Amino acid sequence: MNLALELRQLLVANKIVSSKDDIGISLSIGDINRKPSRLSKRYVISRKSEPFLMARFVPKNWLFSTEDIASTYSVYSKFGSFKVPRLVGNFSTPDGTFFLEEFLKSPVSLASLIETNELDAAKGIEIIRNIFADIWSVAEKPSEKFIQAEKKKHR
């Protein structure tokens, strides 16, 4: 089935939009270089040509569980040093899962702010340090089984 059509049906079935709403769904091409089998498809959902939601389709063959991804959204949404989109919901299909999140306008990269002197390097370093400190504050030590599996994969 066409993923955009399936997404539209899920949005209506879950009462996020009505069947009468004038919505558009367009594929958003990312810049992360991944194998096609590991590529998550992203869709921008617009109402009257104004983006308001982003949907990410994660194929079943990904190694992350739906619960882990939803948990990551939940944890990261509480950080003060950076903003992640609010998770609106997720919908499972036979081929994978749609994660529906609020649409955030494209941010300006830290590198470009420093290059244009809108931010000095010391402030950039402080921002990165704060981001890592936030993430580290909730980090869990991986299991020995996970570490061994990763070592095996990357040797």
Side-chain angles (χ1 to χ4, degrees), residues 80-99:
S81 61
F82 61 95
K83 180 166 175 53
V84 297
R86 181 179 56 84
L87 184 63
V88 174
N90 60 70
F91 314 111
S92 292
T93 72
D95 299 319
T97 302
F98 282 104
F99 290 90

Side-chain angles (χ1 to χ4, degrees), residues 52-69:
F52 73 105
L53 293 172
M54 172 74 82
R56 296 176 190 274
F57 180 77
V58 178
K60 249 191 168 162
N61 64 353
W62 267 39
L63 301 175
F64 302 104
S65 72
T66 301
E67 295 78 22
D68 286 345
I69 293 171

Side-chain angles (χ1 to χ4, degrees), residues 112-120:
S112 66
L113 290 173
I114 292 171
E115 286 172 8
T116 59
N117 292 321
E118 293 178 57
L119 193 68
D120 67 24

Side-chain angles (χ1 to χ4, degrees), residues 26-81:
S26 55
L27 184 62
S28 174
I29 306 300
D31 56 1
I32 297 174
N33 189 13
R34 289 194 176 122
K35 293 187 261 182
S37 64
R38 305 268 296 139
L39 193 62
S40 81
K41 291 188 168 79
R42 297 180 301 155
Y43 297 89
V44 175
I45 303 161
S46 303
R47 183 181 287 136
K48 296 180 183 175
S49 301
E50 194 64 38
F52 73 105
L53 293 172
M54 172 74 82
R56 296 176 190 274
F57 180 77
V58 178
K60 249 191 168 162
N61 64 353
W62 267 39
L63 301 175
F64 302 104
S65 72
T66 301
E67 295 78 22
D68 286 345
I69 293 171
S71 173
T72 300
Y73 272 101
S74 176
V75 169
Y76 280 24
S77 69
K78 295 175 179 88
F79 291 157
S81 61

Side-chain angles (χ1 to χ4, degrees), residues 90-109:
N90 60 70
F91 314 111
S92 292
T93 72
D95 299 319
T97 302
F98 282 104
F99 290 90
L100 196 59
E101 60 189 40
E102 71 178 320
F103 180 82
L104 298 179
K105 294 188 191 276
S106 294
V108 176
S109 74

